[in-house]
């Protein structure tokens, strides 16, 4: 292994070391604060290695991993998200400070899983990364063992993830059986003849089904609302952002490496999944009375929008596809962190502020918190001034350019329905103040929310830096030749 | 720079009024007035120059999102200047008529009020299509909050309906914008959202028709014209007085502005093909909304329907395509902005005093409140198109212009001038004549009379000396007719 390879692997090494260090620290002395700072230190150290890794990229490290700019963009995104989630955890578990250190170990290992997933170049690594991520997530979801909801959610996630994993394994087996290779690149070499290889194609569809579970695309979405609702709010934030974004990033990497976009059938299926996800997600969100369930259904719809961008941009050019997906995922991640962060800031592990009625009059009880939540809802709805709008603009732009009119029409309809339920939450918040008590905001949660809100606004007003990062271009390109 | 300040001043004023509201109730009101005074000063600086020979008075053009060729391109011509002047003028009216009505959270109220104004001014100034869409959407949120927080009994429904109608139609416009931009990109290989760049776009007729339709729907929803008008009566009725004044006076004009600024110049051919249909919609709006207005018992709802009816003239005039009709449309926009604001202010004042908008519960108010009665009479007469007042000039020009294009349709539309007196005088009869329904009602005070006097003066000025306004839009309208004549055939 060369020095370059080691440098490229630094983010993984640092993060693994941090997880071990945190675990040992817990064994020696149970101190929530100490463990929190260790975790933050580990995540920051991981972030600081990214600039060192980026000059050596793109680099194939062993058969399993490929470190490139695309992966590093998501590494940065996930490490920052994990940082926000760590802050939220600190505020969420404030009541029982010295019983909950392990959540940080799990946070680190699941982040590691997400990082491995987006950098994988081989089906084996794909599976390993996904399992590291998922297995760390079960205990995180069921973390508040005193209540029954998290346990139920954890078990549901465990069972359905097991099912998805078996789909994945079977799909991989079929692909291997037909093509005899496992690395993405070699699968891609067979891309042209994929349509003539029914077993491999079936394998790809099974893998797609497994990914559909993780992304909660309709019809694989049934676990989503229950798990979102049951999990502790910071964990839901992590689940909705890092877990989903990593799987989507992998979807793009895998299917473009395998040249699946050359297959008409495949794009049709993806388009169909997008349409039903958008419609079902938005319609089911309409009448929810639980904010977490509402956001769960909205996340289903958003995965549909993403898939629309994926299909439309796939018809155009590959670099545009990467840019669209990377930007939208970043926008969605920041926005969801703010939304679930606001829920988390209002909750603790004894009582979740989940019902819409908990938010009545929030505008007058805690204006800043309400403003952040409103901002994130507007961003989810894709209203200008927010980064969510630029994300939706990307989806529309590629949709119109590729002339995929049915998909564009679905996104318009979905957005129209979406406004209703996002605004319903805003309307609840601006109701005249009821009996509710004043909200005290934990400084850690306040910091996390302020950071997320700032990014939503700043990237909504001046999206160019984020666009550059998503497109991996060092300088803004001349406008003349970049559609 | 002056253009940027026109947008920034209300934004900053809004931000400042948030903390000011916590100190003292009146602080945000004075702050809002100060911000508007600042706007007035900026506008006066523009007006100080003589009537322009060239079209564009001021421009700024900065890079914003180079990735998509999106620029911060603001420009001011006669039309936007007049509409911004109207916006600022009605901004004063909105602040002053909310002086006693809004008691709760005045800081946040004035924040939303000023941000709505900033969004509207942005719409009137933006010449980059992305930037235009940006402002188009941004002005909705504060307006939504104005209705949703300070509105009347059914505010949640009205606010939601308002938002969904405009947002979905806005998305159609966004798609139309993108289609236009990418078609332009395909022929020229330059990606640009710039207005002047896209004016040169060479579209084949089929595409132009669809893209034009996307814009048209967005603007007619906002205008509104039948059949997209159903959000308006709810929104107007439920909004607080200040909100109604802004909605009727200014927000509706953004739709008309869009038609004049974008639909016709960008797609002259498609617009001309579509003109008979659009003019029919206009005529139907005039008659249908006037009939609906007559059937209302809720005073604010009635005025809301009259707005739809008057906006029908704007639609008719905008698509008639000759300079007279276009000038008439602009005049109608200005005059209706003032008269509708005044009528909504009357309705708001009556509601504040009587706690009802139901005209069945009114009657005989003239003896109790002679000042309110006189003002209402004046603006009812203005709305029904009395010669010598602003509305008459606008509607007359529109009819004159469209008569040359389509005689039959114009004859039908002119029937609106008969229906208008019916509903206008009906209001007077129901609310102000007849046996007295109350013992004591407070009349307009000094503040309200002051505002009303300004509105009366403005209406009379527009009626008596319309040329002072029309001169500003002359250049633009002549340009429009030339474009239509050149490319429309």
């Amino acid at each position: 292994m060369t020095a370059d390879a080691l440098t490229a692997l630094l983010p993984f090494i640092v993060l693994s070391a941090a997880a071990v260090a945190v675990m040992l620290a817990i064994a020696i002395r149970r101190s929530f604060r100490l463990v929190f700072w260790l975790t933050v230190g580990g995540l920051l150290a991981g972030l600081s290695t990214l600039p060192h890794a980026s000059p050596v990229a793109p680099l194939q490290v062993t058969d399993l991993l490929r470190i490139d700019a695309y992966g590093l963009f998501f590494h940065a995104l996930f490490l920052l998200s994990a940082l926000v989630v760590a802050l939220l955890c600190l505020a969420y578990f404030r009541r029982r400070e010295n019983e909950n250190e392990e959540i940080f170990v799990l946070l680190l290992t699941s982040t590691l899983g997400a990082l491995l997933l987006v950098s994988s170049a081989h089906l084996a690594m794909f599976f390993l990364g996904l399992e590291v991520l998922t297995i760390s997530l079960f205990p995180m979801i069921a973390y508040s063992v005193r209540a029954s909801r998290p346990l139920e959610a954890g078990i549901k996630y465990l069972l359905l993830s097991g099912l998805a994993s078996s789909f994945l394994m079977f799909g991989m087996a079929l692909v291997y059986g037909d093509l005899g290779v496992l690395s993405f690149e070699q699968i891609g070499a067979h891309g042209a003849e994929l349509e003539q290889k029914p077993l491999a194609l079936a394998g790809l569809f099974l893998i797609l089904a497994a990914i559909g579970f993780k992304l909660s695309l309709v019809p694989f979405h049934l676990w989503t609302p229950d798990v979102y609702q049951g999990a502790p709010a910071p964990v839901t934030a992590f689940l909705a952002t890092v877990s989903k974004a990593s799987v989507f990033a992998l979807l793009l990497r895998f299917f473009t490496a395998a040249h699946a976009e050359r297959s008409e059938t495949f794009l049709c299926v993806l388009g169909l999944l997008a349409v039903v996800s958008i419609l079902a997600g938005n319609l089911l969100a309409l009448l929810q009375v639980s904010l977490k369930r509402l956001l769960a259904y909205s996340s289903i719809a958003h995965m549909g929008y993403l898939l629309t961008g994926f299909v439309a941009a796939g018809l155009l050019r590959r670099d545009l596809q990467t840019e669209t997906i990377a930007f939208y995922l970043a926008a969605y991640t920041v926005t969801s962190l703010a939304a679930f962060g606001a829920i988390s800031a209002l909750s603790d592990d004894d009582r979740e502020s989940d019902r819409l009625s908990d938010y009545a009059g929030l505008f007058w009880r805690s204006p800043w918190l309400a403003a952040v939540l409103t901002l994130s809802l507007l961003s989810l709805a894709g209203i200008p001034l927010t980064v969510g709008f630029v994300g939706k603009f990307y989806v529309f732009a590629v949709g119109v350019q590729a002339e995929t009119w049915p998909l564009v029409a679905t996104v318009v309809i979905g957005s129209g329905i979406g406004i209703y339920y996002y605004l319903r939450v805003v309307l609840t918040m601006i109701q005249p103040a009821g009996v509710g008590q004043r909200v005290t905001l934990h400084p850690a949660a306040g910091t996390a929310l302020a950071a997320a809100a700032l990014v939503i606004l700043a990237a909504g007003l001046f999206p160019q830096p984020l666009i550059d990062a998503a497109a991996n271009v060092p300088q803004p390109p001349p406008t003349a030749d970049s559609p | 720079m002056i253009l940027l300040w026109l947008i920034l001043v209300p934004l900053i004023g809004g931000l400042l009024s948030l903390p000011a509201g916590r100190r003292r109730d009146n602080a945000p009101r004075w702050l809002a007035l100060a911000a508007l005074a600042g706007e007035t000063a900026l506008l006066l600086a523009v007006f100080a120059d003589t009537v322009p020979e060239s079209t564009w008075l001021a421009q700024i053009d900065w890079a914003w999102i180079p990735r998509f060729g999106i620029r911060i391109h603001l420009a001011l011509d006669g039309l936007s200047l007049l509409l911004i002047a109207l916006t600022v003028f009605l901004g004063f009216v909105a602040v002053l008529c909310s002086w006693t009505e809004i008691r709760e959270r005045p800081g946040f109220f004035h924040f939303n009020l000023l941000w709505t104004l900033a969004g509207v001014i942005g719409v009137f100034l933006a010449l980059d299509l992305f930037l235009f869409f940006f402002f188009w959407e941004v002005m909705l949120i504060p307006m939504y909050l104005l209705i949703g927080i300070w509105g009347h009994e059914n505010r949640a429904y009205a606010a939601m309906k308002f938002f969904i109608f405009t947002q979905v139609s806005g998305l159609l416009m966004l798609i139309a914008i993108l289609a236009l931009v990418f078609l332009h990109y395909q022929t020229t290989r330059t990606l640009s959202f710039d207005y002047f760049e896209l004016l040169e776009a060479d579209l084949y007729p089929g595409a132009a028709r669809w893209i034009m339709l996307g814009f048209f729907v967005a603007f007619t929803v906002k205008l509104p014209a039948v059949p997209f008008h159903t959000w308006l009566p709810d929104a107007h009725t439920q909004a607080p007085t200040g909100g109604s004044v802004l909605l009727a006076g200014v927000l509706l004009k953004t739709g008309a502005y869009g038609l004049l600024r974008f639909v016709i110049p960008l797609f002259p051919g498609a617009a001309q093909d579509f003109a008979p249909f659009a003019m029919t919609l206009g005529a139907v709006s005039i008659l249908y909304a006037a009939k609906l207005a007559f059937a209302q018992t809720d005073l604010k709802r009635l005025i809301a329907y009259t707005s739809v009816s008057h906006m029908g003239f704007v639609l008719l005039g905008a698509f008639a395509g000759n300079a007279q009709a276009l000038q008439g449309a602009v005049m109608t926009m200005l005059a209706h902005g003032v008269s509708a604001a005044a009528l909504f202010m009357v309705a708001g004042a009556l509601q504040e005093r009587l706690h009802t908008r139901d005209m069945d519960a009114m009657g005989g108010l003239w003896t109790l409140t002679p000042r309110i009665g006189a003002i209402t009479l004046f603006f009812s007469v203005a709305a029904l198109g009395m010669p010598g007042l602003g509305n008459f000039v606008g509607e007359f020009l529109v009819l004159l212009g469209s008569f040359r294009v389509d005689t039959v349709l114009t004859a039908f539309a002119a029937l609106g001038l008969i229906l208008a007196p019916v509903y206008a005088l009906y209001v007077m009869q129901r609310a102000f004549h007849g046996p007295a329904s109350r013992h004591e009602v407070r009349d307009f005070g000094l503040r309200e009379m002051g505002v009303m006097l300004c509105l009366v003066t403005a209406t009379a000025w527009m009626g008596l000396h319309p040329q002072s306004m029309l001169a500003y839009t002359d250049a633009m309208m002549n340009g429009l007719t030339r474009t239509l004549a050149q490319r429309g055939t």
Side-chain angles (χ1 to χ4, degrees), chain B residues 143-396:
Chain B
M143 194 67 222
Y144 165 80
L145 290 174
L146 280 182
I147 302 175
I149 299 180
W150 292 275
H152 302 307
E153 61 285 349
N154 205 5
R155 56 180 175 266
Y157 170 77
M160 187 77 87
K161 197 168 173 182
F162 163 71
F163 203 101
I164 291 180
F165 261 77
T166 29
Q167 169 73 19
V168 172
S169 64
L171 284 181
L172 289 181
M173 175 166 73
L174 178 63
I175 289 167
I177 291 175
L178 284 168
L180 176 64
V181 166
F182 284 121
L183 281 177
H184 179 62
Y185 174 75
Q186 275 171 12
T187 48
T188 61
R189 309 313 285 173
T190 49
L191 189 66
S192 171
F193 282 74
D194 193 83
Y195 177 70
F196 296 117
E197 185 82 34
L198 293 173
L199 276 179
E200 307 299 321
D202 194 15
L203 304 171
Y204 57 93
R209 193 159 54 237
W210 281 105
I211 297 174
M212 192 273 301
L213 217 57
F215 280 89
F216 180 80
V217 168
F219 295 140
T220 34
V221 165
K222 196 68 160 223
L223 192 60
V226 175
F228 305 115
H229 66 288
T230 61
W231 63 272
L232 181 125
D234 290 310
H236 273 74
T237 312
Q238 298 304 326
T241 310
S244 300
V245 166
L246 286 191
L247 258 179
V250 183
L251 261 73
L252 304 190
K253 308 304 176 288
T254 60
Y257 172 81
L259 290 176
L260 292 175
R261 171 72 80 223
F262 294 105
V263 172
I264 297 172
L266 285 175
F267 319 101
Q272 226 163 38
D273 293 341
F274 190 66
F277 187 69
M279 288 171 71
T280 314
L281 271 188
V284 169
S285 292
I286 295 171
L287 297 177
Y288 179 66
K291 184 190 167 297
L292 285 183
F294 178 66
Q296 304 302 318
T297 55
D298 183 323
L299 183 54
K300 271 184 124 175
R301 234 181 146 75
L302 187 151
I303 302 170
Y305 278 112
T306 68
S307 286
V308 182
S309 178
H310 285 113
M311 287 298 111
F313 280 104
V314 175
L315 188 58
L316 188 68
F319 276 87
N322 49 47
Q324 274 141 2
L326 288 168
Q327 289 280 37
V330 174
M331 213 53 217
T332 310
M333 281 155 75
L334 296 173
H336 170 262
V338 173
S339 69
L343 285 173
F344 274 117
M345 208 177 140
V346 167
L350 286 179
Q351 173 158 30
E352 197 183 345
R353 288 162 173 77
L354 310 175
H355 306 288
T356 179
R357 300 185 301 268
D358 191 353
M359 284 188 292
D360 289 339
M362 300 177 188
L365 291 178
W366 189 288
T367 48
L368 299 169
T369 57
R371 286 183 198 154
I372 298 184
I375 295 289
T376 316
L377 183 62
F378 179 85
F379 284 107
S380 300
V381 168
L384 65 81
M386 170 78 96
L389 299 175
N391 305 50
F392 168 76
V393 179
E395 283 161 23
F396 176 72

Side-chain angles (χ1 to χ4, degrees), chain A residues 324-407:
Chain A
T324 307
I325 299 301
F327 190 95
Y328 198 102
L329 277 176
Y332 177 70
T333 301
V334 179
T335 308
S336 296
L337 280 176
F340 286 109
I343 298 177
S344 172
L346 277 170
S347 315
D348 57 47
D349 66 337
D350 284 335
R351 210 187 73 83
E352 286 259 330
S353 294
D354 181 29
R355 301 186 64 77
L356 270 187
S357 51
D358 293 336
Y359 293 83
L362 189 68
F363 244 102
W364 322 118
R365 285 186 284 143
S366 174
W368 289 110
L369 197 57
V372 172
L373 188 52
T374 306
L375 192 67
S376 59
L377 290 169
L378 292 178
S379 182
L380 285 173
I383 310 288
L385 277 183
T386 63
V387 70
F389 166 66
V390 187
K392 201 161 263 175
F393 178 75
Y394 258 107
V395 170
F396 278 126
V398 294
V400 169
Q401 209 183 347
E403 301 185 359
T404 47
W405 301 117
L407 291 180

Side-chain angles (χ1 to χ4, degrees), chain A residues 323 364 419 461 464 479-480 483, chain B residues 64 66-67 105 144 167 189:
Chain A
E323 184 185 333
W364 322 118
I419 291 161
L461 275 174
Q464 189 64 35
T479 31
Chain B
W64 184 17
R67 169 69 182 82
R105 310 179 215 289
Y144 165 80
Q167 169 73 19
R189 309 313 285 173

Side-chain angles (χ1 to χ4, degrees), chain B residues 6 43 46-47 51-52 57 76-90 121 124-125 249-250 253 257 261 326-327 329-335 337-338 461-462 465-474 476-477:
Chain B
L6 274 174
L43 281 178
V46 183
F47 270 113
V51 175
L57 305 176
L76 185 79
D77 71 348
L79 178 63
S80 17
L81 180 63
L82 287 184
L83 286 171
I84 291 172
L86 176 75
T87 309
V88 174
F89 180 53
L90 292 182
I121 293 173
F124 289 145
L125 287 177
V250 183
K253 308 304 176 288
Y257 172 81
R261 171 72 80 223
L326 288 168
Q327 289 280 37
V330 174
M331 213 53 217
T332 310
M333 281 155 75
L334 296 173
V338 173
W461 178 267
M462 280 187 277
H465 191 34
Q467 192 52 38
S468 61
M469 314 254 161
L470 294 177
Y472 279 92
T473 52
D474 236 8
M476 180 199 167
M477 294 313 158

